[in-house]
Amino acid sequence: MRNPFGGAGPDSVPGARAGRSRWSGVSRSLLAVCLGALPALAFPSPGLWWWAYVSLVPWLLLVRAAPGAGRAALDGWCGGAGFLLAVHHWLLPSVHVFLLVMAVLLGALWLPWGVLVRALLGGTPGPLRAVVALFAVPSGWLLVELVRSWEGLGGPWGLLGASQWEVPVALRLASLGGVWLVGLLVVAVNTAVVLLVAAPRSVGVAGLAGCALVAGTAAWGVGAPRPAGTVRVAMVQPGVFGGPEGAERRLDRAEELTRGLAGQRLDLVVWGESGVGRDPAGDPALAARLTALARAVDAPLLVNVDARRVDRPGIYKSALLFAPDGPTGDRYDKMRLVPFGEYVPARGLLGWATSVGKAAEEDRRRGTDPVVMRLPEDPRGLAVGPLVCFESAFPDMSRRLVRDGAGLLVVQSATSTFQHSWAPAQHASLGALRAAETGRPVVHATLTGISAAYGPDGRRVGPPVGTDASVAVVRELPLSGAVTVYARWGDWPVYGAFALIGAVCAAGGAGLLRRPAPGRRGRRARTVRG
């Protein structure tokens, strides 16, 4: 634009144009962060499960409209960082600046996903590109979730499929392909909605119809595990006890609540994570006290010890089983630890985290193998598979326990640090997915709430025990010997996603999915005067 008073206009100044371009880029990046955060509302505590099926649409529309592959990659990165910040925001009081660092670093996993989205959804996709996008965009998302699920990168907290924990159709899908298959369907629906805008409408409608067909087949064609008896389990939740004497007062309260269960024909009593602060193997009085409790309720007592072991160096978090006649000798040491919460990665480099947050002052030690515990004197030979806290987020761990013979999965947890956040509800909801995946009932027992129990179909049995309660509750859970498809075949959706993305990359390299270039102008016609 020319300056009416003469000279160059502001748009002709290179510095001004560059400044506006930078500001526009920053604004777009901030928008991507906000749009990436939207799916967090589908998880507990908001629990807007239906929102998951459209929550990715604004982000996808932004990425597909990127002017180039580099900008699409950056939109994917910023959106991924926003997603991780929103889903894990309750960690902020504990890890402080590390939450931002984690979000930025792990958000980079969405870089190639952004490029994939633009390549398949950008412009006006033809039928072939649209169909490929309907399968490849969800597959790319799934591979991102798989990579970030590695324990060293924080673990599989906030997998998109986990937001559907209370939807019966999703639970049936989980029995087929785990939380991975549920996540694929959720992203596929979002992609189909985008195709309604970006492609011929018939393609988007066909995509939504296909997703509905998959969901309907799961709902009507995949039955819930058939019950085979029941098990009566008590969950003891003593509540929050702070201060120097808090651990001992909590132990006293748990003992009081446990004694109140006498006469209720129980098969098992479960305490939460870190309910015992000393190793009973080196404290005969404590071992006798726990044995007496098991005798008083006439049922085995599964406790969790957070202490130094007497037979080896270091602090362990361990599940120990006590029968009415004494310790059974079964012991499971937690294998997968929470980064910063239970150990500091590269402590020599990042040890200063203990001075700015609530990072572990001393690293916990890891167990080496899962353990299946047979309940003593149970005529059915029922076996329990214990998991400790964070481990319930890992689908492979519960599947391994079931394949080793566990008929009941027990999660011992404590979320007192995050008592007034979304964390307790998010954590408790994971039990529904693990139950549906394996076809086994799951007990999620905590020190401070939320405690809950789920049947082998993934549906909650009885009301949850909130974070404001100090109580012991009994749940009668159906048992099942059914073997789900997921328990038998494992993470097959992940393998399918790998194969599909590999095929798409090969097809893209061969030019089969390339977007048609804008038509080139023909040579200008020559006139008589010309």
Side-chain angles (χ1 to χ4, degrees):
M1 170 178 143
R2 296 286 300 173
N3 187 332
F5 297 98
D11 287 346
S12 66
V13 179
R17 287 199 302 270
R20 280 195 296 274
S21 177
R22 284 194 296 269
W23 175 247
S24 175
V26 171
S27 300
R28 185 184 178 103
S29 297
L30 291 175
L31 177 61
V33 170
C34 295
L35 297 182
L38 292 178
L41 297 176
F43 293 87
S45 288
L48 305 177
W49 63 265
W50 50 268
W51 174 244
Y53 293 92
V54 293
S55 62
L56 293 177
V57 171
W59 184 12
L60 287 168
L61 291 174
L62 179 72
V63 175
R64 71 172 289 271
R71 182 66 244 190
L74 187 57
D75 290 342
W77 187 356
C78 293
F83 175 76
L84 294 173
L85 279 172
V87 172
H88 297 87
H89 73 274
W90 43 270
L91 283 171
L92 191 59
S94 294
V95 299
H96 296 288
V97 68
F98 282 103
L99 179 60
L100 179 60
V101 173
M102 178 271 291
V104 171
L105 292 178
L106 294 186
L109 295 174
W110 276 270
L111 279 165
W113 186 75
V115 175
L116 177 72
V117 169
R118 181 182 179 276
L120 295 177
L121 295 177
T124 303
L128 176 61
R129 260 205 304 140
V131 171
V132 172
L134 192 62
F135 290 92
V137 171
S139 296
W141 179 279
L142 185 62
L143 296 186
V144 172
E145 290 196 324
L146 178 69
V147 174
R148 77 175 182 87
S149 294
W150 178 49
E151 176 197 352
L153 294 180
W157 193 283
L159 299 182
L160 195 55
S163 67
Q164 306 302 295
W165 68 276
E166 56 184 341
V167 181
V169 174
L171 294 175
R172 300 280 54 79
L173 278 174
S175 72
L176 295 176
V179 68
W180 312 113
L181 185 58
V182 181
L184 278 174
L185 179 68
V186 171
V187 183
V189 173
N190 279 272
T191 306
V193 173
V194 172
L195 288 172
L196 287 175
V197 179
R201 186 160 297 181
S202 58
V203 178
V205 171
L208 289 174
C211 293
L213 179 62
V214 171
T217 302
W220 296 102
V222 182
R226 184 171 299 174
T230 60
V231 59
R232 286 176 60 83
V233 182
M235 298 180 290
V236 176
Q237 181 178 299
V240 178
F241 290 88
E245 304 297 325
E248 198 60 36
R249 290 169 55 213
R250 184 171 57 238
L251 180 60
D252 292 340
R253 178 58 177 162
E255 180 179 12
E256 177 187 0
L257 292 171
T258 302
R259 290 192 180 278
L261 295 168
Q264 298 202 35
R265 298 181 295 104
L266 300 172
D267 296 302
L268 179 66
V269 178
V270 183
W271 286 11
E273 178 188 17
S274 305
V276 178
R278 305 186 302 277
D279 188 354
D283 190 335
L286 177 59
R289 184 179 179 183
L290 297 174
T291 299
L293 279 178
R295 189 179 307 117
V297 297
D298 193 28
L301 172 64
L302 185 68
V303 301
N304 190 274
V305 177
D306 185 359
R308 296 186 184 278
R309 290 189 58 163
V310 297
D311 57 343
R312 63 183 65 175
I315 302 175
Y316 289 79
K317 286 191 175 182
S318 308
L320 276 68
L321 187 64
F322 285 81
D325 58 355
T328 64
D330 291 320
R331 180 173 193 140
Y332 167 67
D333 296 322
K334 186 176 184 181
M335 297 168 59
R336 296 182 182 173
L337 305 177
V338 181
F340 294 101
E342 293 170 333
Y343 77 102
V344 175
R347 183 175 286 273
L349 179 65
L350 302 176
W352 56 271
T354 59
S355 62
V356 298
K358 298 178 181 177
E361 295 289 344
E362 179 180 348
D363 292 348
R364 275 16 180 208
R365 302 295 182 92
R366 300 174 186 272
T368 55
D369 296 293
V371 175
V372 172
M373 304 177 180
R374 296 282 172 185
L375 295 184
E377 300 183 9
D378 188 286
R380 302 162 296 187
L382 181 64
V384 173
L387 296 168
V388 182
C389 197
F390 176 62
E391 294 179 325
S392 68
F394 293 86
D396 65 299
M397 295 195 72
S398 53
R399 177 173 174 259
R400 167 70 184 274
L401 288 170
V402 169
R403 290 177 65 86
D404 288 347
L408 170 67
L409 299 175
V410 174
V411 181
Q412 296 175 298
S413 176
T415 51
S416 56
T417 305
F418 314 105
Q419 198 72 349
H420 302 292
S421 72
W422 295 2
Q426 284 187 20
H427 197 185
S429 71
L430 295 176
L433 272 300
R434 303 295 86 85
E437 289 168 346
T438 60
R440 298 294 182 270
V442 173
V443 171
H444 181 89
T446 75
L447 290 181
T448 59
I450 293 173
S451 298
Y454 303 89
D457 59 353
R459 299 197 186 203
R460 192 168 58 202
V461 177
V465 183
T467 55
D468 57 346
S470 176
V471 68
V473 297
V474 178
R475 298 286 181 261
E476 187 162 349
L477 304 174
L479 293 170
S480 177
V483 180
T484 64
V485 174
Y486 178 74
R488 185 182 299 276
W489 297 105
D491 301 327
W492 62 266
V494 173
Y495 308 139
F498 267 118
L500 181 61
I501 293 300
V504 168
C505 291
L512 300 179
L513 299 175
R514 188 171 300 161
R515 288 192 293 174
R520 297 182 60 184
R521 287 186 175 184
R523 295 185 62 181
R524 188 173 180 179
R526 294 178 64 86
T527 64
V528 174
R529 290 183 60 188

Tab-separated table of all heavy atoms in Angstrom, residues 269-305:
chain	number	residue	atom	x	y	z
A	269	VAL	N	-9.224	-58.241	52.819
A	269	VAL	CA	-9.248	-56.851	53.271
A	269	VAL	C	-8.032	-56.160	52.651
A	269	VAL	O	-6.914	-56.689	52.710
A	269	VAL	CB	-9.192	-56.746	54.801
A	269	VAL	CG1	-9.166	-55.284	55.245
A	269	VAL	CG2	-10.373	-57.475	55.435
A	270	VAL	N	-8.246	-54.966	52.070
A	270	VAL	CA	-7.171	-54.271	51.352
A	270	VAL	C	-6.952	-52.892	51.963
A	270	VAL	O	-7.907	-52.132	52.165
A	270	VAL	CB	-7.510	-54.121	49.854
A	270	VAL	CG1	-6.349	-53.452	49.121
A	270	VAL	CG2	-7.822	-55.474	49.232
A	271	TRP	N	-5.698	-52.588	52.263
A	271	TRP	CA	-5.293	-51.249	52.685
A	271	TRP	C	-4.648	-50.533	51.498
A	271	TRP	O	-4.174	-51.156	50.557
A	271	TRP	CB	-4.287	-51.321	53.828
A	271	TRP	CG	-4.876	-51.711	55.152
A	271	TRP	CD1	-6.129	-52.201	55.384
A	271	TRP	CD2	-4.227	-51.650	56.412
A	271	TRP	NE1	-6.305	-52.455	56.725
A	271	TRP	CE2	-5.140	-52.113	57.386
A	271	TRP	CE3	-2.958	-51.252	56.830
A	271	TRP	CZ2	-4.832	-52.182	58.738
A	271	TRP	CZ3	-2.646	-51.327	58.182
A	271	TRP	CH2	-3.570	-51.780	59.125
A	272	GLY	N	-4.588	-49.205	51.584
A	272	GLY	CA	-4.008	-48.401	50.516
A	272	GLY	C	-2.495	-48.380	50.542
A	272	GLY	O	-1.830	-49.000	51.385
A	273	GLU	N	-1.952	-47.640	49.598
A	273	GLU	CA	-0.503	-47.517	49.431
A	273	GLU	C	0.126	-46.817	50.633
A	273	GLU	O	-0.423	-45.841	51.152
A	273	GLU	CB	-0.222	-46.723	48.155
A	273	GLU	CG	1.241	-46.478	47.861
A	273	GLU	CD	1.419	-45.527	46.699
A	273	GLU	OE1	0.457	-44.824	46.332
A	273	GLU	OE2	2.539	-45.470	46.157
A	274	SER	N	1.284	-47.320	51.064
A	274	SER	CA	2.077	-46.716	52.147
A	274	SER	C	1.303	-46.659	53.458
A	274	SER	O	1.549	-45.786	54.295
A	274	SER	CB	2.537	-45.299	51.761
A	274	SER	OG	3.237	-45.311	50.546
A	275	GLY	N	0.387	-47.607	53.656
A	275	GLY	CA	-0.363	-47.643	54.908
A	275	GLY	C	0.468	-48.069	56.096
A	275	GLY	O	0.088	-47.822	57.247
A	276	VAL	N	1.609	-48.719	55.838
A	276	VAL	CA	2.505	-49.177	56.903
A	276	VAL	C	3.877	-48.571	56.643
A	276	VAL	O	4.413	-48.683	55.534
A	276	VAL	CB	2.586	-50.714	56.940
A	276	VAL	CG1	3.549	-51.178	58.026
A	276	VAL	CG2	1.206	-51.331	57.149
A	277	GLY	N	4.440	-47.927	57.640
A	277	GLY	CA	5.697	-47.205	57.467
A	277	GLY	C	6.932	-47.932	57.951
A	277	GLY	O	8.024	-47.347	57.942
A	278	ARG	N	6.795	-49.195	58.388
A	278	ARG	CA	7.958	-49.987	58.817
A	278	ARG	C	7.855	-51.380	58.213
A	278	ARG	O	6.755	-51.899	57.996
A	278	ARG	CB	8.005	-50.102	60.352
A	278	ARG	CG	7.997	-48.774	61.073
A	278	ARG	CD	8.193	-48.937	62.582
A	278	ARG	NE	7.180	-49.782	63.220
A	278	ARG	CZ	5.978	-49.358	63.596
A	278	ARG	NH1	5.613	-48.104	63.389
A	278	ARG	NH2	5.128	-50.184	64.184
A	279	ASP	N	8.995	-51.983	57.975
A	279	ASP	CA	9.004	-53.321	57.396
A	279	ASP	C	8.651	-54.335	58.488
A	279	ASP	O	9.415	-54.513	59.450
A	279	ASP	CB	10.376	-53.633	56.807
A	279	ASP	CG	10.385	-54.943	56.020
A	279	ASP	OD1	9.355	-55.652	56.026
A	279	ASP	OD2	11.422	-55.248	55.403
A	280	PRO	N	7.510	-55.020	58.371
A	280	PRO	CA	7.136	-55.995	59.409
A	280	PRO	C	8.148	-57.120	59.577
A	280	PRO	O	8.216	-57.731	60.655
A	280	PRO	CB	5.794	-56.537	58.913
A	280	PRO	CG	5.259	-55.471	58.009
A	280	PRO	CD	6.476	-54.881	57.354
A	281	ALA	N	8.943	-57.374	58.532
A	281	ALA	CA	9.939	-58.446	58.657
A	281	ALA	C	10.978	-58.126	59.716
A	281	ALA	O	11.598	-59.040	60.287
A	281	ALA	CB	10.626	-58.681	57.309
A	282	GLY	N	11.187	-56.852	60.000
A	282	GLY	CA	12.141	-56.475	61.032
A	282	GLY	C	11.489	-55.937	62.285
A	282	GLY	O	12.169	-55.403	63.161
A	283	ASP	N	10.168	-56.065	62.391
A	283	ASP	CA	9.421	-55.540	63.533
A	283	ASP	C	8.399	-56.595	63.962
A	283	ASP	O	7.238	-56.574	63.515
A	283	ASP	CB	8.737	-54.228	63.152
A	283	ASP	CG	8.140	-53.496	64.341
A	283	ASP	OD1	7.825	-54.161	65.349
A	283	ASP	OD2	7.973	-52.265	64.261
A	284	PRO	N	8.794	-57.547	64.796
A	284	PRO	CA	7.889	-58.630	65.189
A	284	PRO	C	6.576	-58.138	65.802
A	284	PRO	O	5.516	-58.734	65.584
A	284	PRO	CB	8.711	-59.423	66.211
A	284	PRO	CG	10.137	-59.111	65.875
A	284	PRO	CD	10.133	-57.705	65.386
A	285	ALA	N	6.635	-57.030	66.551
A	285	ALA	CA	5.415	-56.504	67.169
A	285	ALA	C	4.425	-56.038	66.104
A	285	ALA	O	3.213	-56.269	66.211
A	285	ALA	CB	5.751	-55.367	68.128
A	286	LEU	N	4.933	-55.387	65.068
A	286	LEU	CA	4.065	-54.923	63.985
A	286	LEU	C	3.494	-56.103	63.208
A	286	LEU	O	2.298	-56.118	62.871
A	286	LEU	CB	4.847	-54.005	63.050
A	286	LEU	CG	4.106	-53.483	61.821
A	286	LEU	CD1	2.858	-52.703	62.216
A	286	LEU	CD2	5.028	-52.623	60.956
A	287	ALA	N	4.332	-57.113	62.946
A	287	ALA	CA	3.847	-58.303	62.245
A	287	ALA	C	2.752	-58.987	63.049
A	287	ALA	O	1.734	-59.436	62.489
A	287	ALA	CB	5.008	-59.253	61.987
A	288	ALA	N	2.931	-59.068	64.375
A	288	ALA	CA	1.910	-59.690	65.222
A	288	ALA	C	0.626	-58.868	65.213
A	288	ALA	O	-0.487	-59.420	65.230
A	288	ALA	CB	2.442	-59.835	66.644
A	289	ARG	N	0.765	-57.568	65.170
A	289	ARG	CA	-0.408	-56.682	65.148
A	289	ARG	C	-1.222	-56.885	63.867
A	289	ARG	O	-2.456	-56.962	63.909
A	289	ARG	CB	0.075	-55.239	65.250
A	289	ARG	CG	-0.988	-54.167	65.345
A	289	ARG	CD	-0.307	-52.804	65.470
A	289	ARG	NE	-1.251	-51.710	65.536
A	289	ARG	CZ	-0.899	-50.430	65.594
A	289	ARG	NH1	0.407	-50.111	65.582
A	289	ARG	NH2	-1.819	-49.477	65.641
A	290	LEU	N	-0.555	-56.985	62.747
A	290	LEU	CA	-1.245	-57.188	61.479
A	290	LEU	C	-1.854	-58.586	61.395
A	290	LEU	O	-2.955	-58.775	60.860
A	290	LEU	CB	-0.279	-56.959	60.318
A	290	LEU	CG	0.277	-55.533	60.208
A	290	LEU	CD1	1.350	-55.449	59.118
A	290	LEU	CD2	-0.842	-54.532	59.918
A	291	THR	N	-1.158	-59.564	61.938
A	291	THR	CA	-1.707	-60.924	61.973
A	291	THR	C	-2.961	-60.969	62.829
A	291	THR	O	-3.961	-61.625	62.471
A	291	THR	CB	-0.652	-61.892	62.512
A	291	THR	OG1	0.498	-61.892	61.651
A	291	THR	CG2	-1.207	-63.298	62.611
A	292	ALA	N	-2.939	-60.279	63.954
A	292	ALA	CA	-4.112	-60.247	64.827
A	292	ALA	C	-5.310	-59.607	64.125
A	292	ALA	O	-6.457	-60.024	64.332
A	292	ALA	CB	-3.780	-59.488	66.114
A	293	LEU	N	-5.050	-58.612	63.307
A	293	LEU	CA	-6.140	-57.995	62.555
A	293	LEU	C	-6.751	-58.991	61.567
A	293	LEU	O	-7.980	-59.078	61.434
A	293	LEU	CB	-5.618	-56.775	61.798
A	293	LEU	CG	-5.479	-55.477	62.585
A	293	LEU	CD1	-4.892	-54.379	61.691
A	293	LEU	CD2	-6.832	-55.034	63.119
A	294	ALA	N	-5.904	-59.715	60.860
A	294	ALA	CA	-6.406	-60.724	59.925
A	294	ALA	C	-7.216	-61.780	60.653
A	294	ALA	O	-8.258	-62.254	60.163
A	294	ALA	CB	-5.241	-61.365	59.165
A	295	ARG	N	-6.773	-62.136	61.860
A	295	ARG	CA	-7.506	-63.119	62.650
A	295	ARG	C	-8.848	-62.559	63.124
A	295	ARG	O	-9.868	-63.265	63.149
A	295	ARG	CB	-6.656	-63.554	63.839
A	295	ARG	CG	-7.220	-64.743	64.613
A	295	ARG	CD	-6.315	-65.131	65.776
A	295	ARG	NE	-4.943	-65.342	65.328
A	295	ARG	CZ	-3.902	-64.620	65.731
A	295	ARG	NH1	-4.080	-63.626	66.599
A	295	ARG	NH2	-2.700	-64.871	65.277
A	296	ALA	N	-8.860	-61.279	63.464
A	296	ALA	CA	-10.089	-60.664	63.979
A	296	ALA	C	-11.191	-60.627	62.926
A	296	ALA	O	-12.379	-60.763	63.254
A	296	ALA	CB	-9.793	-59.251	64.472
A	297	VAL	N	-10.821	-60.426	61.662
A	297	VAL	CA	-11.839	-60.371	60.602
A	297	VAL	C	-11.957	-61.696	59.867
A	297	VAL	O	-12.794	-61.841	58.970
A	297	VAL	CB	-11.515	-59.249	59.600
A	297	VAL	CG1	-11.563	-57.896	60.283
A	297	VAL	CG2	-10.155	-59.455	58.941
A	298	ASP	N	-11.121	-62.666	60.249
A	298	ASP	CA	-11.132	-64.000	59.643
A	298	ASP	C	-10.973	-63.918	58.121
A	298	ASP	O	-11.702	-64.557	57.364
A	298	ASP	CB	-12.416	-64.746	60.010
A	298	ASP	CG	-12.322	-66.235	59.667
A	298	ASP	OD1	-11.195	-66.775	59.666
A	298	ASP	OD2	-13.380	-66.846	59.371
A	299	ALA	N	-10.014	-63.115	57.694
A	299	ALA	CA	-9.762	-62.951	56.259
A	299	ALA	C	-8.339	-62.465	56.067
A	299	ALA	O	-7.781	-61.780	56.935
A	299	ALA	CB	-10.743	-61.959	55.644
A	300	PRO	N	-7.715	-62.781	54.931
A	300	PRO	CA	-6.373	-62.259	54.651
A	300	PRO	C	-6.389	-60.738	54.574
A	300	PRO	O	-7.373	-60.128	54.141
A	300	PRO	CB	-6.017	-62.887	53.301
A	300	PRO	CG	-6.954	-64.038	53.130
A	300	PRO	CD	-8.200	-63.675	53.855
A	301	LEU	N	-5.284	-60.132	54.969
A	301	LEU	CA	-5.130	-58.684	54.969
A	301	LEU	C	-3.975	-58.314	54.047
A	301	LEU	O	-2.840	-58.746	54.276
A	301	LEU	CB	-4.866	-58.185	56.386
A	301	LEU	CG	-4.483	-56.717	56.564
A	301	LEU	CD1	-5.623	-55.798	56.138
A	301	LEU	CD2	-4.088	-56.448	58.020
A	302	LEU	N	-4.252	-57.537	53.010
A	302	LEU	CA	-3.220	-57.088	52.075
A	302	LEU	C	-2.855	-55.657	52.434
A	302	LEU	O	-3.665	-54.735	52.294
A	302	LEU	CB	-3.722	-57.158	50.638
A	302	LEU	CG	-2.685	-56.831	49.550
A	302	LEU	CD1	-1.603	-57.904	49.482
A	302	LEU	CD2	-3.348	-56.674	48.184
A	303	VAL	N	-1.639	-55.447	52.919
A	303	VAL	CA	-1.183	-54.118	53.306
A	303	VAL	C	-0.108	-53.655	52.338
A	303	VAL	O	0.388	-54.435	51.514
A	303	VAL	CB	-0.634	-54.108	54.751
A	303	VAL	CG1	-1.695	-54.571	55.732
A	303	VAL	CG2	0.626	-54.969	54.862
A	304	ASN	N	0.246	-52.380	52.452
A	304	ASN	CA	1.306	-51.837	51.609
A	304	ASN	C	2.328	-51.135	52.486
A	304	ASN	O	1.976	-50.252	53.276
A	304	ASN	CB	0.732	-50.866	50.583
A	304	ASN	CG	1.764	-50.462	49.537
A	304	ASN	OD1	2.526	-49.528	49.747
A	304	ASN	ND2	1.778	-51.174	48.421
A	305	VAL	N	3.577	-51.536	52.351
A	305	VAL	CA	4.665	-51.037	53.195
A	305	VAL	C	5.547	-50.100	52.375
A	305	VAL	O	5.963	-50.435	51.260
A	305	VAL	CB	5.504	-52.203	53.746
A	305	VAL	CG1	6.681	-51.675	54.553
A	305	VAL	CG2	4.635	-53.131	54.587
